[in-house]
């Protein structure tokens, strides 16, 4: 199954992240948060991103070290993906 990796930028907002997701053409999409940036940290942000992925029929995964995002992701059963696991799956 093809995996598409979408790198979020430090200046990303919800609208631009959803727009990136809308252009994804894979059945699995992984959103990668930038290091030390505080983007998309609200619970509602993840809910809306997850809905966008569901509308497109794609599976969504997250790569982040942000504890707030990880906490919200766990509440909504969004699987965080360690970077080593991500590297293996894309080869």
């Amino acid at each position: 199954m093809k995996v598409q990796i979408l790198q979020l930028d430090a200046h990303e907002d919800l609208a631009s992240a959803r727009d990136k997701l809308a252009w994804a053409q894979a059945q699995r999409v992984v959103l990668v948060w930038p290091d030390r940036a505080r983007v998309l940290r609200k619970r509602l942000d993840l809910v809306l991103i997850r809905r966008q992925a569901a509308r497109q029929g794609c599976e969504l995964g997250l790569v982040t070290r942000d504890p707030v995002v990880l906490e919200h992701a766990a509440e909504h059963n969004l699987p965080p993906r360690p970077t080593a696991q991500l590297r293996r799956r894309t080869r």
Side-chain angles (χ1 to χ4, degrees):
M1 192 177 291
K2 185 177 174 185
V3 176
Q4 188 165 354
I5 301 168
L6 300 177
Q7 179 71 45
L8 297 176
D9 298 318
H11 63 274
E12 207 84 52
D13 64 0
L14 177 60
S16 60
R18 289 176 69 190
D19 189 49
K20 279 186 178 182
L21 185 57
W23 284 95
Q25 298 178 354
Q27 292 176 334
R28 287 186 179 166
V29 176
V30 177
L31 289 178
V32 180
W33 265 250
D35 284 338
R36 291 180 240 132
R38 300 171 63 97
V39 297
L40 303 178
R41 299 185 87 218
K42 297 178 188 170
R43 182 176 287 123
L44 182 59
D45 293 339
L46 288 183
V47 169
L48 295 175
I49 288 173
R50 186 175 185 194
R51 283 184 192 166
Q52 176 76 28
R55 270 194 298 273
Q56 292 176 221
C58 64
E59 180 183 330
L60 183 63
L62 310 176
V63 174
T64 182
R65 292 182 185 151
D66 188 328
V68 173
V69 175
L70 289 171
E71 180 182 330
H72 295 323
E75 292 171 6
H76 296 287
N77 297 322
L78 284 170
R81 302 217 186 274
T83 46
Q85 180 185 6
L86 178 63
R87 281 190 214 114
R88 273 186 257 122
R89 295 188 102 186
T90 56
R91 288 184 187 170

